[in-house]
Amino acid sequence: MNKNIKVILFIVLSLIQLAIPVQMILGKEYVLKNGEVFKFRIEPIDPVDYFRGNYLIINFNDNKIPVDNSKDYTINQTVYAIVENYSDGFAHFTAVSPSVPESGYYVKTKVLYTDGEAVYIKIPFERYYMDESKAKLAEEEYNRSLRDEKDVYATVRIHNGDAVVDGIYIDGYKIEDYLRNQ
């Protein structure tokens, strides 16, 4: 009997350990499938993470949100950044709230710092994973595209505060397709 309880406990613990990463993956996939698409201007760089593979770190330069009183916010505080599309076709963070907004699109994030007039947030979507053999070439092509003043941006899907990078684009082509055509 004692051995049976140990086996059952082992199986239950194993299932719990499997359930956590599966839930995380399914959550990201749900956002990719059902989230609203927003375009953000980017500035990627290409590091290597030996556990996760090659990816592009995406540097979003739009993390400053003007506020009436930045003293209402503290470093590392959880906040909700409101996202809106501007007439230029790109998304921008327009407001920040300490509580979940009742309407619109928002991203759950943290305060990096404040400067008296604005809150600077941590962008919670900063990595774009791709085929390891193409990540370095993607970085080189991105830099070349900047010099040639091509349109470079990332699409991000947002749903209920979660955000996932859907793709990086150069002149309207997803970077993987753009590299194939070069």
Side-chain angles (χ1 to χ4, degrees):
M1 178 84 169
N2 195 13
K3 185 177 181 180
N4 288 338
I5 291 174
K6 287 181 181 179
V7 169
I8 291 171
L9 284 174
F10 175 76
I11 291 171
V12 168
L13 287 173
S14 297
L15 289 174
I16 290 171
Q17 287 181 332
L18 288 173
I20 292 170
V22 167
Q23 185 272 333
M24 291 170 63
I25 291 167
L26 291 176
K28 297 291 184 190
E29 289 298 321
Y30 183 83
V31 172
L32 284 171
K33 187 174 184 176
N34 299 303
E36 183 70 22
V37 178
F38 291 89
K39 288 174 29 179
F40 288 89
R41 294 203 184 276
I42 61 171
E43 299 172 353
I45 57 175
D46 181 33
V48 174
D49 182 328
Y50 293 105
F51 293 106
R52 298 181 192 152
N54 286 9
Y55 58 91
L56 294 175
I57 283 187
I58 306 168
N59 184 18
F60 293 87
N61 57 5
D62 185 25
N63 70 333
K64 177 182 178 180
I65 304 171
V67 293
D68 291 334
N69 188 1
S70 69
K71 292 182 182 178
D72 293 340
Y73 299 93
T74 59
I75 294 172
N76 214 28
Q77 176 185 358
T78 298
V79 294
Y80 301 87
I82 312 309
V83 180
E84 293 182 19
N85 282 315
Y86 280 20
S87 60
D88 66 358
F90 287 92
H92 300 275
F93 296 107
T94 58
V96 65
S97 171
S99 58
V100 177
E102 293 181 17
S103 63
Y105 292 95
Y106 60 92
V107 175
K108 182 178 178 181
T109 187
K110 300 270 186 184
V111 173
L112 288 174
Y113 62 94
T114 64
D115 70 359
E117 299 175 355
V119 170
Y120 293 80
I121 60 167
K122 178 183 183 336
I123 304 295
F125 43 90
E126 61 184 11
R127 294 181 180 191
Y128 181 67
Y129 292 93
M130 54 188 307
D131 183 327
E132 289 188 25
S133 64
K134 296 180 181 167
K136 186 67 177 166
L137 181 60
E139 176 196 17
E140 291 167 0
E141 192 57 43
Y142 167 78
N143 288 329
R144 186 176 305 117
S145 295
L146 280 180
R147 284 191 305 271
D148 295 344
E149 297 181 8
K150 293 181 179 178
D151 192 25
V152 181
Y153 59 90
T155 56
V156 176
R157 290 193 179 262
I158 297 173
H159 182 75
N160 290 338
D162 292 324
V164 179
V165 177
D166 187 38
I168 294 177
Y169 292 80
I170 298 175
D171 275 349
Y173 294 97
K174 199 165 186 176
I175 196 160
E176 292 85 353
D177 297 332
Y178 188 86
L179 293 174
R180 267 194 291 268
N181 295 331
Q182 296 301 312

Short mmCIF file of all heavy atoms in Angstrom, two decimals, residues 102-143:
data_model
loop_
_atom_site.label_atom_id
_atom_site.label_comp_id
_atom_site.label_asym_id
_atom_site.label_seq_id
_atom_site.Cartn_x
_atom_site.Cartn_y
_atom_site.Cartn_z
N GLU A 102 -10.64 49.17 -17.83
CA GLU A 102 -11.95 48.57 -18.10
C GLU A 102 -12.18 48.32 -19.58
O GLU A 102 -13.00 47.49 -19.95
CB GLU A 102 -13.06 49.44 -17.53
CG GLU A 102 -13.04 49.48 -16.01
CD GLU A 102 -14.17 50.32 -15.44
OE1 GLU A 102 -15.14 50.60 -16.18
OE2 GLU A 102 -14.06 50.68 -14.26
N SER A 103 -11.47 49.06 -20.44
CA SER A 103 -11.65 48.88 -21.88
C SER A 103 -10.35 49.17 -22.61
O SER A 103 -9.41 49.71 -22.04
CB SER A 103 -12.76 49.81 -22.39
OG SER A 103 -12.38 51.16 -22.21
N GLY A 104 -10.31 48.80 -23.87
CA GLY A 104 -9.14 49.05 -24.70
C GLY A 104 -8.09 47.97 -24.55
O GLY A 104 -8.28 46.96 -23.86
N TYR A 105 -6.97 48.19 -25.20
CA TYR A 105 -5.87 47.23 -25.17
C TYR A 105 -4.79 47.74 -24.23
O TYR A 105 -4.49 48.94 -24.20
CB TYR A 105 -5.32 47.01 -26.58
CG TYR A 105 -6.32 46.29 -27.44
CD1 TYR A 105 -7.18 46.99 -28.28
CD2 TYR A 105 -6.42 44.91 -27.39
CE1 TYR A 105 -8.12 46.32 -29.05
CE2 TYR A 105 -7.35 44.23 -28.16
CZ TYR A 105 -8.19 44.94 -28.99
OH TYR A 105 -9.13 44.28 -29.74
N TYR A 106 -4.21 46.83 -23.50
CA TYR A 106 -3.19 47.19 -22.52
C TYR A 106 -2.21 46.04 -22.35
O TYR A 106 -2.49 44.90 -22.72
CB TYR A 106 -3.84 47.53 -21.17
CG TYR A 106 -4.63 46.37 -20.60
CD1 TYR A 106 -4.03 45.46 -19.73
CD2 TYR A 106 -5.97 46.19 -20.93
CE1 TYR A 106 -4.74 44.39 -19.22
CE2 TYR A 106 -6.68 45.12 -20.43
CZ TYR A 106 -6.07 44.22 -19.57
OH TYR A 106 -6.78 43.17 -19.07
N VAL A 107 -1.06 46.36 -21.78
CA VAL A 107 -0.02 45.38 -21.51
C VAL A 107 0.35 45.47 -20.04
O VAL A 107 0.61 46.55 -19.52
CB VAL A 107 1.23 45.66 -22.39
CG1 VAL A 107 2.36 44.72 -22.03
CG2 VAL A 107 0.89 45.56 -23.86
N LYS A 108 0.37 44.33 -19.37
CA LYS A 108 0.80 44.28 -17.97
C LYS A 108 2.32 44.34 -17.96
O LYS A 108 2.99 43.57 -18.64
CB LYS A 108 0.31 43.00 -17.32
CG LYS A 108 0.66 42.89 -15.85
CD LYS A 108 0.11 41.61 -15.25
CE LYS A 108 0.50 41.48 -13.80
NZ LYS A 108 0.00 40.22 -13.22
N THR A 109 2.88 45.26 -17.16
CA THR A 109 4.33 45.45 -17.15
C THR A 109 4.78 46.02 -15.80
O THR A 109 3.99 46.07 -14.86
CB THR A 109 4.75 46.36 -18.33
OG1 THR A 109 6.16 46.39 -18.39
CG2 THR A 109 4.18 47.74 -18.21
N LYS A 110 6.02 46.47 -15.75
CA LYS A 110 6.59 47.04 -14.53
C LYS A 110 7.16 48.42 -14.83
O LYS A 110 7.58 48.71 -15.95
CB LYS A 110 7.73 46.16 -14.00
CG LYS A 110 7.34 44.75 -13.65
CD LYS A 110 6.91 44.65 -12.24
CE LYS A 110 6.67 43.20 -11.87
NZ LYS A 110 6.16 43.06 -10.55
N VAL A 111 7.22 49.26 -13.80
CA VAL A 111 7.83 50.58 -13.90
C VAL A 111 9.35 50.42 -13.79
O VAL A 111 9.83 49.80 -12.84
CB VAL A 111 7.31 51.52 -12.79
CG1 VAL A 111 8.07 52.84 -12.81
CG2 VAL A 111 5.82 51.76 -12.94
N LEU A 112 10.08 50.98 -14.76
CA LEU A 112 11.55 50.99 -14.68
C LEU A 112 12.01 52.15 -13.80
O LEU A 112 12.80 51.98 -12.89
CB LEU A 112 12.18 51.12 -16.07
CG LEU A 112 12.10 49.89 -16.97
CD1 LEU A 112 12.64 50.22 -18.35
CD2 LEU A 112 12.86 48.74 -16.35
N TYR A 113 11.48 53.35 -14.12
CA TYR A 113 11.80 54.55 -13.33
C TYR A 113 10.86 55.66 -13.75
O TYR A 113 10.09 55.53 -14.71
CB TYR A 113 13.27 54.97 -13.50
CG TYR A 113 13.67 55.34 -14.91
CD1 TYR A 113 13.63 56.67 -15.34
CD2 TYR A 113 14.10 54.38 -15.80
CE1 TYR A 113 14.00 57.01 -16.62
CE2 TYR A 113 14.48 54.72 -17.09
CZ TYR A 113 14.43 56.04 -17.49
OH TYR A 113 14.80 56.38 -18.77
N THR A 114 10.90 56.76 -13.00
CA THR A 114 10.11 57.94 -13.32
C THR A 114 11.03 59.15 -13.35
O THR A 114 12.13 59.12 -12.80
CB THR A 114 9.00 58.17 -12.28
OG1 THR A 114 9.61 58.44 -11.02
CG2 THR A 114 8.08 56.98 -12.15
N ASP A 115 10.59 60.22 -14.00
CA ASP A 115 11.44 61.42 -14.07
C ASP A 115 10.70 62.71 -13.72
O ASP A 115 11.14 63.79 -14.06
CB ASP A 115 12.08 61.54 -15.45
CG ASP A 115 11.10 61.90 -16.55
OD1 ASP A 115 9.89 62.05 -16.28
OD2 ASP A 115 11.54 62.04 -17.70
N GLY A 116 9.58 62.61 -13.07
CA GLY A 116 8.81 63.79 -12.72
C GLY A 116 7.68 64.06 -13.69
O GLY A 116 6.61 64.49 -13.30
N GLU A 117 7.90 63.83 -14.97
CA GLU A 117 6.89 64.08 -15.99
C GLU A 117 6.37 62.81 -16.66
O GLU A 117 5.36 62.84 -17.33
CB GLU A 117 7.47 64.99 -17.09
CG GLU A 117 7.90 66.34 -16.60
CD GLU A 117 8.58 67.14 -17.71
OE1 GLU A 117 8.79 66.61 -18.81
OE2 GLU A 117 8.90 68.31 -17.45
N ALA A 118 7.11 61.72 -16.49
CA ALA A 118 6.75 60.49 -17.21
C ALA A 118 7.12 59.26 -16.40
O ALA A 118 7.95 59.30 -15.50
CB ALA A 118 7.46 60.46 -18.56
N VAL A 119 6.48 58.17 -16.79
CA VAL A 119 6.81 56.84 -16.28
C VAL A 119 7.46 56.08 -17.42
O VAL A 119 6.96 56.08 -18.54
CB VAL A 119 5.52 56.11 -15.81
CG1 VAL A 119 5.80 54.66 -15.50
CG2 VAL A 119 4.92 56.82 -14.62
N TYR A 120 8.58 55.43 -17.14
CA TYR A 120 9.26 54.60 -18.13
C TYR A 120 8.99 53.15 -17.75
O TYR A 120 9.23 52.74 -16.62
CB TYR A 120 10.76 54.88 -18.14
CG TYR A 120 11.08 56.26 -18.64
CD1 TYR A 120 10.96 57.37 -17.82
CD2 TYR A 120 11.47 56.46 -19.95
CE1 TYR A 120 11.24 58.65 -18.28
CE2 TYR A 120 11.76 57.73 -20.43
CZ TYR A 120 11.64 58.81 -19.58
OH TYR A 120 11.90 60.08 -20.04
N ILE A 121 8.48 52.40 -18.72
CA ILE A 121 8.08 51.02 -18.44
C ILE A 121 9.04 50.02 -19.07
O ILE A 121 9.74 50.32 -20.03
CB ILE A 121 6.65 50.75 -18.95
CG1 ILE A 121 6.57 50.96 -20.47
CG2 ILE A 121 5.63 51.58 -18.20
CD1 ILE A 121 5.31 50.43 -21.10
N LYS A 122 9.04 48.82 -18.51
CA LYS A 122 9.77 47.70 -19.10
C LYS A 122 8.86 47.13 -20.19
O LYS A 122 7.70 46.82 -19.93
CB LYS A 122 10.07 46.64 -18.06
CG LYS A 122 10.78 45.43 -18.64
CD LYS A 122 10.99 44.37 -17.59
CE LYS A 122 11.76 43.17 -18.07
NZ LYS A 122 11.79 42.84 -19.43
N ILE A 123 9.40 47.01 -21.38
CA ILE A 123 8.61 46.42 -22.47
C ILE A 123 8.61 44.91 -22.25
O ILE A 123 9.67 44.29 -22.27
CB ILE A 123 9.21 46.77 -23.86
CG1 ILE A 123 9.33 48.30 -24.03
CG2 ILE A 123 8.38 46.14 -24.96
CD1 ILE A 123 8.05 49.05 -24.06
N PRO A 124 7.45 44.30 -22.04
CA PRO A 124 7.42 42.88 -21.69
C PRO A 124 7.56 41.92 -22.88
O PRO A 124 7.56 40.72 -22.70
CB PRO A 124 6.05 42.72 -21.03
CG PRO A 124 5.22 43.77 -21.66
CD PRO A 124 6.14 44.92 -21.94
N PHE A 125 7.67 42.45 -24.06
CA PHE A 125 7.88 41.61 -25.24
C PHE A 125 9.14 42.12 -25.93
O PHE A 125 9.13 43.12 -26.60
CB PHE A 125 6.67 41.66 -26.18
CG PHE A 125 6.09 43.04 -26.38
CD1 PHE A 125 6.53 43.87 -27.39
CD2 PHE A 125 5.10 43.51 -25.53
CE1 PHE A 125 6.00 45.14 -27.56
CE2 PHE A 125 4.56 44.77 -25.70
CZ PHE A 125 5.02 45.59 -26.72
N GLU A 126 10.23 41.43 -25.72
CA GLU A 126 11.50 41.94 -26.21
C GLU A 126 12.32 40.93 -26.99
O GLU A 126 13.41 41.24 -27.44
CB GLU A 126 12.34 42.46 -25.04
CG GLU A 126 12.65 41.41 -24.02
CD GLU A 126 13.39 41.94 -22.81
OE1 GLU A 126 13.49 43.17 -22.65
OE2 GLU A 126 13.87 41.12 -22.04
N ARG A 127 11.82 39.72 -27.15
CA ARG A 127 12.57 38.69 -27.86
C ARG A 127 11.77 38.13 -29.02
O ARG A 127 10.57 37.91 -28.92
CB ARG A 127 12.93 37.54 -26.92
CG ARG A 127 13.88 37.97 -25.85
CD ARG A 127 14.23 36.81 -24.97
NE ARG A 127 15.16 37.27 -23.94
CZ ARG A 127 15.82 36.48 -23.16
NH1 ARG A 127 15.66 35.19 -23.25
NH2 ARG A 127 16.64 36.97 -22.27
N TYR A 128 12.49 37.88 -30.10
CA TYR A 128 11.89 37.22 -31.26
C TYR A 128 12.78 36.04 -31.61
O TYR A 128 13.92 36.23 -32.03
CB TYR A 128 11.77 38.19 -32.44
CG TYR A 128 11.13 37.56 -33.64
CD1 TYR A 128 9.80 37.19 -33.62
CD2 TYR A 128 11.86 37.33 -34.80
CE1 TYR A 128 9.20 36.60 -34.73
CE2 TYR A 128 11.27 36.75 -35.91
CZ TYR A 128 9.94 36.39 -35.87
OH TYR A 128 9.36 35.81 -36.96
N TYR A 129 12.27 34.85 -31.39
CA TYR A 129 13.04 33.64 -31.66
C TYR A 129 12.88 33.24 -33.13
O TYR A 129 11.81 33.36 -33.70
CB TYR A 129 12.57 32.50 -30.76
CG TYR A 129 12.91 32.75 -29.32
CD1 TYR A 129 12.00 33.37 -28.48
CD2 TYR A 129 14.15 32.41 -28.82
CE1 TYR A 129 12.33 33.64 -27.17
CE2 TYR A 129 14.48 32.66 -27.51
CZ TYR A 129 13.57 33.27 -26.68
OH TYR A 129 13.90 33.54 -25.39
N MET A 130 13.99 32.79 -33.68
CA MET A 130 13.95 32.35 -35.07
C MET A 130 14.98 31.26 -35.27
O MET A 130 15.76 30.96 -34.36
CB MET A 130 14.18 33.52 -36.02
CG MET A 130 15.43 34.33 -35.78
SD MET A 130 15.52 35.83 -36.78
CE MET A 130 15.25 35.23 -38.41
N ASP A 131 14.98 30.68 -36.44
CA ASP A 131 15.93 29.63 -36.78
C ASP A 131 17.34 30.11 -36.45
O ASP A 131 17.76 31.18 -36.89
CB ASP A 131 15.81 29.31 -38.27
CG ASP A 131 16.69 28.18 -38.72
OD1 ASP A 131 17.79 28.00 -38.17
OD2 ASP A 131 16.28 27.46 -39.65
N GLU A 132 18.07 29.31 -35.66
CA GLU A 132 19.40 29.72 -35.21
C GLU A 132 20.34 30.06 -36.36
O GLU A 132 21.16 30.95 -36.25
CB GLU A 132 20.02 28.61 -34.36
CG GLU A 132 19.36 28.46 -33.03
CD GLU A 132 20.09 27.49 -32.12
OE1 GLU A 132 21.31 27.31 -32.30
OE2 GLU A 132 19.44 26.94 -31.24
N SER A 133 20.18 29.37 -37.46
CA SER A 133 21.09 29.61 -38.58
C SER A 133 20.81 30.93 -39.29
O SER A 133 21.63 31.39 -40.08
CB SER A 133 21.01 28.45 -39.59
OG SER A 133 19.71 28.40 -40.17
N LYS A 134 19.67 31.55 -39.01
CA LYS A 134 19.29 32.78 -39.70
C LYS A 134 19.34 34.03 -38.82
O LYS A 134 19.22 35.14 -39.32
CB LYS A 134 17.90 32.63 -40.29
CG LYS A 134 17.84 31.56 -41.35
CD LYS A 134 16.47 31.43 -41.92
CE LYS A 134 16.50 30.31 -42.96
NZ LYS A 134 15.18 29.90 -43.34
N ALA A 135 19.51 33.87 -37.50
CA ALA A 135 19.45 35.02 -36.59
C ALA A 135 20.55 36.03 -36.88
O ALA A 135 20.30 37.23 -36.90
CB ALA A 135 19.52 34.55 -35.14
N LYS A 136 21.76 35.58 -37.10
CA LYS A 136 22.88 36.50 -37.38
C LYS A 136 22.64 37.22 -38.71
O LYS A 136 22.84 38.43 -38.81
CB LYS A 136 24.20 35.74 -37.39
CG LYS A 136 25.40 36.63 -37.53
CD LYS A 136 25.57 37.51 -36.31
CE LYS A 136 26.82 38.35 -36.42
NZ LYS A 136 26.85 39.43 -35.45
N LEU A 137 22.21 36.48 -39.72
CA LEU A 137 21.90 37.09 -41.02
C LEU A 137 20.75 38.10 -40.88
O LEU A 137 20.78 39.16 -41.50
CB LEU A 137 21.54 36.01 -42.04
CG LEU A 137 21.21 36.47 -43.45
CD1 LEU A 137 22.39 37.23 -44.06
CD2 LEU A 137 20.83 35.29 -44.31
N ALA A 138 19.78 37.79 -40.04
CA ALA A 138 18.66 38.71 -39.81
C ALA A 138 19.15 40.02 -39.20
O ALA A 138 18.72 41.10 -39.61
CB ALA A 138 17.61 38.06 -38.91
N GLU A 139 20.07 39.92 -38.23
CA GLU A 139 20.62 41.13 -37.62
C GLU A 139 21.37 41.97 -38.66
O GLU A 139 21.21 43.19 -38.73
CB GLU A 139 21.57 40.76 -36.48
CG GLU A 139 22.24 41.99 -35.88
CD GLU A 139 23.45 41.63 -35.04
OE1 GLU A 139 23.96 40.53 -35.15
OE2 GLU A 139 23.89 42.52 -34.29
N GLU A 140 22.18 41.31 -39.50
CA GLU A 140 22.94 42.03 -40.53
C GLU A 140 22.00 42.70 -41.52
O GLU A 140 22.21 43.85 -41.91
CB GLU A 140 23.88 41.06 -41.25
CG GLU A 140 25.02 40.57 -40.37
CD GLU A 140 25.77 39.39 -40.97
OE1 GLU A 140 25.42 38.94 -42.09
OE2 GLU A 140 26.71 38.90 -40.30
N GLU A 141 20.96 41.99 -41.92
CA GLU A 141 20.00 42.56 -42.87
C GLU A 141 19.23 43.72 -42.25
O GLU A 141 18.95 44.72 -42.90
CB GLU A 141 19.04 41.49 -43.37
CG GLU A 141 18.22 41.93 -44.56
CD GLU A 141 19.08 42.35 -45.74
OE1 GLU A 141 20.07 41.68 -46.06
OE2 GLU A 141 18.75 43.40 -46.36
N TYR A 142 18.91 43.60 -40.97
CA TYR A 142 18.24 44.68 -40.27
C TYR A 142 19.11 45.94 -40.28
O TYR A 142 18.64 47.02 -40.61
CB TYR A 142 17.92 44.28 -38.83
CG TYR A 142 17.51 45.47 -38.01
CD1 TYR A 142 16.24 46.00 -38.12
CD2 TYR A 142 18.41 46.09 -37.17
CE1 TYR A 142 15.87 47.12 -37.40
CE2 TYR A 142 18.05 47.20 -36.44
CZ TYR A 142 16.79 47.72 -36.56
OH TYR A 142 16.42 48.83 -35.86
N ASN A 143 20.39 45.79 -39.92
CA ASN A 143 21.30 46.94 -39.90
C ASN A 143 21.43 47.56 -41.29
O ASN A 143 21.44 48.78 -41.44
CB ASN A 143 22.66 46.54 -39.35
CG ASN A 143 22.62 46.27 -37.86
OD1 ASN A 143 21.84 46.88 -37.15
ND2 ASN A 143 23.42 45.34 -37.39
#
